[in-house]
Amino acid sequence: MVSKETPTCSASLQLDRNPSDKFSTTGTLVQTSSSYTKVLILDNSVFVMSSTLNVARYTALASGIVYGIYHHRSLQKAHDQEKEHHAVHRREQLIVQAKDAWRQKSAKGDGVITDPEDPRFDLEKLFAKWEKEYQ
């Protein structure tokens, strides 16, 4: 025999049923005139899980995952570009520092040009300078 009481949950959710609808207290399905609705019964509370609600939940979950992947990729791409830009800028700074150090080193000597590609380069003066330094 089917009870005519309408089951309610603690959040004041009330299931609207016609007296002609069949309700199975041992199963998890409520059969109305044309469709089945999943019902979860826990501690005398009834939670209605309709297929529309499940579709909405899983759609929100899937769209959240897709958005998370897209957002992570965009952040990673921006980070990689910034990292590459920083590395290029750092190399340029090191090259400028090395050139400055080379100019200072070659300019502070006794006027001996050590660059073999310079047209004023004199090999004999370079050998003489090295002999003074290492004696």
Side-chain angles (χ1 to χ4, degrees):
M1 182 165 168
V2 176
S3 171
K4 293 190 178 192
E5 296 177 15
T6 303
T8 60
C9 73
S10 61
S12 300
L13 175 68
Q14 197 168 19
L15 295 176
D16 294 328
R17 296 189 309 114
N18 294 331
S20 63
D21 292 339
K22 297 177 183 174
F23 179 71
S24 170
T25 56
T26 58
T28 58
L29 292 178
V30 173
Q31 181 182 9
T32 59
S33 58
S34 64
S35 66
Y36 287 94
T37 303
K38 188 185 268 188
V39 174
L40 177 64
I41 300 174
L42 276 178
D43 299 330
N44 295 328
S45 299
V46 177
F47 300 95
V48 177
M49 302 298 291
S50 69
S51 59
T52 306
L53 182 62
N54 281 336
V55 168
R57 287 175 54 214
Y58 285 110
T59 301
L61 176 66
S63 62
I65 290 171
V66 169
Y67 172 75
I69 291 169
Y70 172 76
H71 188 62
H72 180 267
R73 284 185 181 175
S74 67
L75 290 176
Q76 187 67 38
K77 183 179 178 182
H79 175 71
D80 291 343
Q81 287 175 348
E82 180 65 28
K83 192 174 178 182
E84 182 179 345
H85 174 70
H86 179 70
V88 168
H89 184 65
R90 179 69 180 145
R91 277 187 244 126
E92 289 173 355
Q93 283 182 340
L94 289 174
I95 290 170
V96 167
Q97 287 176 356
K99 285 182 179 180
D100 289 342
W102 176 256
R103 283 188 200 113
Q104 288 177 358
K105 182 180 176 185
S106 63
K108 87 172 154 170
D110 4 347
V112 177
I113 299 170
T114 57
D115 184 14
E117 303 214 0
D118 191 347
R120 299 175 292 149
F121 176 71
D122 188 8
L123 189 60
E124 291 178 10
K125 287 183 181 178
L126 182 63
F127 284 149
K129 177 184 171 191
W130 285 346
E131 285 178 1
K132 287 181 189 175
E133 287 179 1
Y134 297 112
Q135 283 183 359

